[in-house]
């Protein structure tokens, strides 16, 4: 259902940002609803969310129980004792390239000047098993479901060695159970691969924009793939309908707390990695984190976890394609899943298939309302250009979605936007010393499973864009 022209002009009057969204121009939005962490925790939004810190701890404990089984079932995790985790690495060459990009678009920054602070990449594209951030949430929910079934059947106890999940009795139990999911691709990969390995019957409903190689890979692992001509919401709807049978579990990307908590476990692990590298995070050493956002569960879960761990010292930003700014639209208007990008005339088409979502999760939007610092959008061309630059500077092989976090640091440090000056002053980031002590983390959400010839094609497009008029378009921020 689309908004009438009257609704739309009333909405735009209220929220002038909608005109920019409709024009498909890049935008940076600061969340006026953000609260200090103590106020946020006491806010009705978080009180009503039905989730809390104990849920993150429960998810961490569950992943630890399964680690011995994971280490054997997925040998690539054996070296990490069955922990599914990704590296955190410094990105000095990309930082240099971003500094040059900022200098050309914002003349108050001198060219050749390195950006202050430390730029780092959280390499979720290297996560084992499914090569994207979905290896956090998707896998946790499948494991939780398997655990509950096995415990209820009396086949395993919480303090048992979970290598028991290889026993024929548990495999037979799970073989009679179905798992269903609707996905643009990467969630389907995570759920499909893990479910099939545990012995579940698994069906992945995929949208038209899902890439062929993901469908092929899933089928090769024993998952059933159902293709839909419509978008992501249609695929989810089909999965949800089909799951209305006994012995079927639908993984609900739009509102699952179990997915969300799987993502949230990333926070304590990031804290440990920062500590191991001697990087402090506190009021004088802030952390800024840039998270590509689709339906919201992945970035939302990570941001929620980070706010629990670091409180006011962390500033979380989401990044969305100009054609799919569903979370921005939902949070800006407060309508959450009551409005879709199609309602304002956008077509939800983007090369960033992981972010091709027209309607955001209401659960995530409400939880993020007092916690999130802001959201920015970027064009497909920008993502492809960053894809080429991230490769040329740091040797990274990322899929387009995973590049959305790259320009976050320059959005935050731009001098030509008064509201960002005010924000920096309010959070202490206007102080030179604090800026120099800030750690910026780009969450690189996927890419290592992309077949080389497909990645090469995106890389060549990015190179061509950089070589042509490139960044000169005034419709684009860096
Ligand atoms: C799914 C995905 C995201 C976003 O996660 P959501 O939970 O949909 O918001 C970002 N990047 C990649 C590569 C993804 O697959």
């Amino acid at each position: 259902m689309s908004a009438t022209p009257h609704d739309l002009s009333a909405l735009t009057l209220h929220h002038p940002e909608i005109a920019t969204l409709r024009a498909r121009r890049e935008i940076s939005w600061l969340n006026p609803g953000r609260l200090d962490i103590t106020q946020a925790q006491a806010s009705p939004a978080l009180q009503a969310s039905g989730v809390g810190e104990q849920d993150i701890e429960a998810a961490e404990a569950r992943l630890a129980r399964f680690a011995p089984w994971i280490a054997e079932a997925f040998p690539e995790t054996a070296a990490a004792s069955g922990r599914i985790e990704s590296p955190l690495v410094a990105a000095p060459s990309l930082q240099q390239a971003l500094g040059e990009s900022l200098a050309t678009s914002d003349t108050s920054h001198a060219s050749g000047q390195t950006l202050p602070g430390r730029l780092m990449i959280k390499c979720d594209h290297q996560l084992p098993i499914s090569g994207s951030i979905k290896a956090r949430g998707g896998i946790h929910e499948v494991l939780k479901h398997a655990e509950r079934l096995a415990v209820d059947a009396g086949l395993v106890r919480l303090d048992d060695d979970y290598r028991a999940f290889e026993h024929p009795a548990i495999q037979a139990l799970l073989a009679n159970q179905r798992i269903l999911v609707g996905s643009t691709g990467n969630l389907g990969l995570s759920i499909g691969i893990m479910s099939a390995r545990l012995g579940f019957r698994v069906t992945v409903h995929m949208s038209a924009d899902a890439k062929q190689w993901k469908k092929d890979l899933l089928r090769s692992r024993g998952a059933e793939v159902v293709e839909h001509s419509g978008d992501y919401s249609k695929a989810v709807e089909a999965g949800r309908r089909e799951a209305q049978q006994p012995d079927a579990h639908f993984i609900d990307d739009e509102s699952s707390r179990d997915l969300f908590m799987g993502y949230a476990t990333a926070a304590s692990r990031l804290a440990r990695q920062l500590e191991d590298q001697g990087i402090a995070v506190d009021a004088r050493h802030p952390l800024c984190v840039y998270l590509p956002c689709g339906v919201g569960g992945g970035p939302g879960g990570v941001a929620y976890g980070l706010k629990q761990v670091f409180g006011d010292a962390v500033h979380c930003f989401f990044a969305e394609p100009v054609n799919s700014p569903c979370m921005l639209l939902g949070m800006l208007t407060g309508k959450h899943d009551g409005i879709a990008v199609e309602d304002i005339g956008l077509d939800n088409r983007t090369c960033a298939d992981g972010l091709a979502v027209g309607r955001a999760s209401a659960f995530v939007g409400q939880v993020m309302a007092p916690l999130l610092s802001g959201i920015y959008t970027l064009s497909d061309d920008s993502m492809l250009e960053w894809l080429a630059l991230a490769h040329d500077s740091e040797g990274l092989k990322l899929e387009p979605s995973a590049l959305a976090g790259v320009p976050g640091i320059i959005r935050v440090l731009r001098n030509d936007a008064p509201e960002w000056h005010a924000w920096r002053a309010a959070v202490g980031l206007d102080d030179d010393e604090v800026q120099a002590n800030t750690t910026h983390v780009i969450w690189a959400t996927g890419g290592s499973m992309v077949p080389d010839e497909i990645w090469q094609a995106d890389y060549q497009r990015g190179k061509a864009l950089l070589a042509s008029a490139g960044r000169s378009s005034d419709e684009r921020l860096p």
Side-chain angles (χ1 to χ4, degrees):
M1 199 185 61
S2 182
T4 65
H6 172 76
D7 294 342
L8 201 54
S9 54
L11 207 60
T12 308
L13 210 60
H14 241 83
H15 308 287
E17 295 91 342
I18 290 180
T20 310
L21 295 179
R22 282 169 57 77
R24 296 173 171 77
R25 286 177 46 212
E26 295 187 341
I27 187 172
S28 300
W29 174 76
L30 282 163
N31 174 18
R34 185 186 55 84
L35 300 172
D36 291 345
I37 191 67
T38 44
Q39 289 174 296
Q41 273 159 347
S43 69
L46 287 200
Q47 295 293 316
S49 68
V51 292
E53 183 144 31
Q54 70 285 354
D55 299 303
I56 308 181
E57 285 161 16
E60 286 166 350
R62 182 169 300 109
L63 292 173
R65 288 195 290 278
F66 270 103
W69 175 79
I70 294 171
E72 292 196 352
F74 297 94
E76 69 267 38
T77 66
S81 311
R83 272 164 68 93
I84 302 167
E85 197 42 73
S86 72
L88 172 71
V89 300
S93 307
L94 182 58
Q95 185 164 357
Q96 182 70 39
L98 282 159
E100 282 154 21
S101 173
L102 180 58
T104 44
S105 64
D106 175 355
T107 45
S108 66
H109 286 266
S111 99
Q113 190 186 327
T114 324
L115 293 173
R118 178 194 281 110
L119 184 70
M120 304 193 84
I121 313 247
K122 180 61 175 158
C123 300
D124 272 14
H125 61 294
Q126 291 179 23
L127 276 176
I129 302 180
S130 63
S132 82
I133 188 171
K134 303 297 194 308
R136 299 184 184 277
I139 285 173
H140 172 253
E141 178 155 353
V142 174
L143 294 176
K144 181 173 177 183
H145 186 58
E147 178 179 64
R148 205 188 58 237
L149 291 167
V151 168
D152 288 353
L155 294 173
V156 80
R157 289 194 331 227
L158 295 186
D159 55 358
D160 279 345
D161 182 336
Y162 272 25
R163 282 176 291 188
F165 277 84
E166 288 300 299
H167 287 172
I170 296 188
Q171 299 260 313
L173 171 79
L174 301 186
N176 283 318
Q177 299 285 330
R178 290 187 68 193
I179 295 213
L180 294 111
V181 64
S183 169
T184 59
N186 286 340
L187 184 65
L189 277 186
S190 289
I191 306 278
I193 293 171
M194 182 50 87
S195 301
R197 183 62 186 79
L198 278 162
F200 283 111
R201 288 169 54 211
V202 55
T203 305
V204 181
H205 288 266
M206 285 192 141
S207 47
D209 43 20
K211 301 274 186 282
Q212 187 61 40
W213 67 266
K214 293 184 181 174
K215 300 174 191 169
D216 296 342
L217 177 67
L218 272 171
R219 289 186 172 122
S220 79
R221 296 293 183 96
E224 185 196 355
V225 177
V226 181
E227 299 179 50
H228 292 270
S229 52
D231 74 355
Y232 161 83
S233 305
K234 302 253 167 47
V236 170
E237 213 28 69
R240 189 178 278 136
R241 250 197 328 274
E242 214 185 303
Q244 284 168 357
Q245 310 164 18
D247 306 335
H249 178 74
F250 175 66
I251 297 199
D252 189 343
D253 199 15
E254 291 172 344
S255 59
S256 166
R257 273 56 169 175
D258 294 332
L259 278 179
F260 190 81
M261 288 305 156
Y263 293 119
T265 61
S268 62
R269 295 175 176 196
L270 183 76
R272 170 65 67 84
Q273 289 177 318
L274 288 164
E275 198 181 313
D276 287 349
Q277 298 185 35
I279 299 168
V281 178
D282 55 43
R284 301 287 298 168
H285 303 78
L287 180 64
C288 293
V289 183
Y290 310 103
L291 296 145
C293 179
V295 72
V302 172
Y304 178 81
L306 289 171
K307 293 303 283 187
Q308 299 282 343
V309 173
F310 295 115
D312 293 326
V314 66
H315 308 290
C316 298
F317 294 90
F318 288 176
E320 300 187 300
V322 288
N323 269 331
S324 310
C326 63
M327 187 61 75
L328 174 48
L329 187 61
M331 288 186 72
L332 172 73
T333 59
K335 292 180 184 290
H336 300 297
D337 63 351
I339 190 164
V341 301
E342 290 84 356
D343 295 336
I344 63 163
L346 298 176
D347 63 10
N348 190 26
R349 280 184 189 278
T350 168
C351 66
D353 56 341
L355 312 181
V357 179
R359 192 182 296 275
S361 160
F363 161 61
V364 174
Q366 281 156 5
V367 169
M368 283 300 112
L371 297 175
L372 192 66
S373 294
I375 303 179
Y376 62 85
T377 63
L378 73 175
S379 69
D380 278 21
D381 282 358
S382 299
M383 282 185 266
L384 292 169
E385 289 174 6
W386 295 126
L387 185 145
L389 263 175
H391 178 267
D392 292 352
S393 60
E394 301 288 344
L396 296 165
K397 187 190 159 206
L398 302 175
E399 63 185 271
S401 300
L403 279 307
V406 170
I409 181 171
I410 44 189
R411 300 290 178 98
V412 160
L413 294 177
R414 283 181 80 87
N415 279 336
D416 52 3
E419 67 275 22
W420 285 76
H421 269 291
W423 175 78
R424 287 200 299 264
V427 301
L429 257 168
D430 54 347
D431 178 314
D432 285 347
E433 193 185 312
V434 173
Q435 272 191 20
N437 289 335
T438 301
T439 301
H440 301 265
V441 174
I442 296 168
W443 214 280
T445 45
S448 63
M449 309 247 317
V450 178
D452 218 46
E453 66 278 13
I454 292 175
W455 183 84
Q456 275 295 338
D458 283 339
Y459 175 74
Q460 294 306 337
R461 283 172 68 195
K463 289 295 272 187
L465 285 162
L466 286 171
S468 69
R471 321 209 55 78
S472 68
S473 162
D474 62 5
E475 302 219 326
R476 273 186 284 148
L477 296 170

